[in-house]
Amino acid sequence: MLSRAIIVLLASCACSIGATPALAATTTSDQQQNPLNDQGSSPNYRSTITSILPSTPGLHLQVLQFSDRLLLRNETGRTVAIEGYEGEPYARVQANGTVEVNTHSPAYYLNQSFYGDVTVPSFASATATPHWQLVDRTGQFEWHDHRIHWMSPVAPAKVKDKGKRTLIFDWHVPIAVGESKGTVTGQLFWTPNASSAPVAAIVIGGAIVVFGLLLVFVVRRRRAGPRAPSGGERSAAPAGGDGEQSGYREAW
């Protein structure tokens, strides 16, 4: 029974060690899922919003997937508009929750890919008459914005030491709340990956300690030997027999 307990305990420790990277992989996989289906997002790049102007109650913005895209939620009671890369109307979230995009905006096509490696149709330009297309009626809009992330799989020249947090650039996304022009500002950082090695070391160390304690316990039990049976546990020899005992019932 004791040997079985040791095996079970060691197996549990081994499972814990193996489960640590698996959990991290699951978390990473979940984080990388997004409705725009891109491959460029990386935990090394982190965008943070530093200010939103005009400061308006009910206007909410956040960065998703490290630096991948922006999410705007409009509860201001006014239309919130987002400008494209050439100052053209790109998208708008109306007071009633209607979300529309301008399919004549070059940004509409460029934002389909994390790196913007798409062909923009000739009819789409900053001077073209807007053509508004309904997206949904949720009052929120989610989009890639190339102004908030690094546009290359190669690390920026500013990152001299990949183990050090480094500011890459400040960014600005023009918006309007009703008739008031404004901007969302932020910063993009290079951020080193957190290593999972310390966690694995702790788990392995714990397993070694437990194994050592159990081994000492087993050795001591074996050296002590079996306990002598008590008088009440000794079986009498059968009458008329050769005097041999029928055996002992050891209490463990």
Side-chain angles (χ1 to χ4, degrees):
M1 292 296 293
L2 184 58
S3 299
R4 180 178 297 178
I6 295 173
I7 294 172
V8 171
L9 183 57
L10 292 178
S12 299
C13 293
C15 290
S16 298
I17 296 171
T20 301
L23 177 59
T26 301
T27 303
T28 302
S29 176
D30 290 343
Q31 287 179 334
Q32 289 179 344
Q33 294 175 4
N34 64 74
L36 298 177
N37 190 30
D38 68 81
Q39 298 82 35
S41 189
S42 166
N44 287 125
Y45 297 98
R46 304 294 177 99
S47 259
T48 59
I49 295 173
T50 56
S51 68
I52 302 173
L53 296 174
S55 179
T56 308
L59 177 57
H60 310 279
L61 281 118
Q62 68 182 104
V63 176
L64 301 179
Q65 184 63 18
F66 312 122
S67 66
D68 180 68
R69 57 200 189 278
L70 286 169
L71 172 65
L72 182 151
R73 188 168 76 255
N74 181 16
E75 298 173 348
T76 65
R78 290 180 282 175
T79 295
V80 177
I82 304 159
E83 290 187 8
Y85 304 116
E86 300 176 59
E88 80 280 8
Y90 163 54
R92 63 189 183 189
V93 183
Q94 298 185 32
N96 64 0
T98 299
V99 182
E100 297 173 306
V101 293
N102 175 19
T103 59
H104 285 176
S105 164
Y108 171 76
Y109 301 95
L110 293 170
N111 290 354
Q112 301 301 314
S113 165
F114 184 88
Y115 293 118
D117 49 355
V118 298
T119 300
V120 177
S122 58
F123 61 79
S125 70
T127 57
T129 302
H131 179 267
W132 295 105
Q133 176 177 297
L134 177 67
V135 177
D136 59 37
R137 302 181 187 279
T138 61
Q140 63 181 29
F141 179 58
E142 182 177 329
W143 78 103
H144 286 306
D145 199 301
H146 304 316
R147 290 166 287 210
I148 77 166
H149 58 234
W150 184 245
M151 293 289 290
S152 172
V154 179
K158 283 188 176 182
V159 180
K160 306 297 184 183
D161 181 357
K162 291 188 175 182
K164 180 181 178 181
R165 187 171 185 259
T166 305
L167 175 63
I168 300 174
F169 57 68
D170 298 316
W171 53 262
H172 309 270
V173 176
I175 63 171
V177 181
E179 299 299 322
S180 302
K181 293 286 187 178
T183 184
V184 182
T185 61
Q187 294 180 311
L188 176 67
F189 287 90
W190 169 274
T191 305
N193 281 330
S195 173
S196 60
V199 176
I202 291 172
V203 175
I204 293 173
I208 292 174
V209 170
V210 171
F211 176 76
L213 292 174
L214 288 174
L215 185 61
V216 170
F217 179 72
V218 171
V219 170
R220 288 182 176 178
R221 286 292 299 272
R222 288 181 176 177
R223 285 180 178 177
R227 290 181 296 170
S230 61
E233 294 174 343
R234 188 183 301 271
S235 299
D242 58 5
E244 293 182 355
Q245 295 178 343
S246 62
Y248 293 102
R249 179 170 60 85
E250 296 182 347
W252 289 91

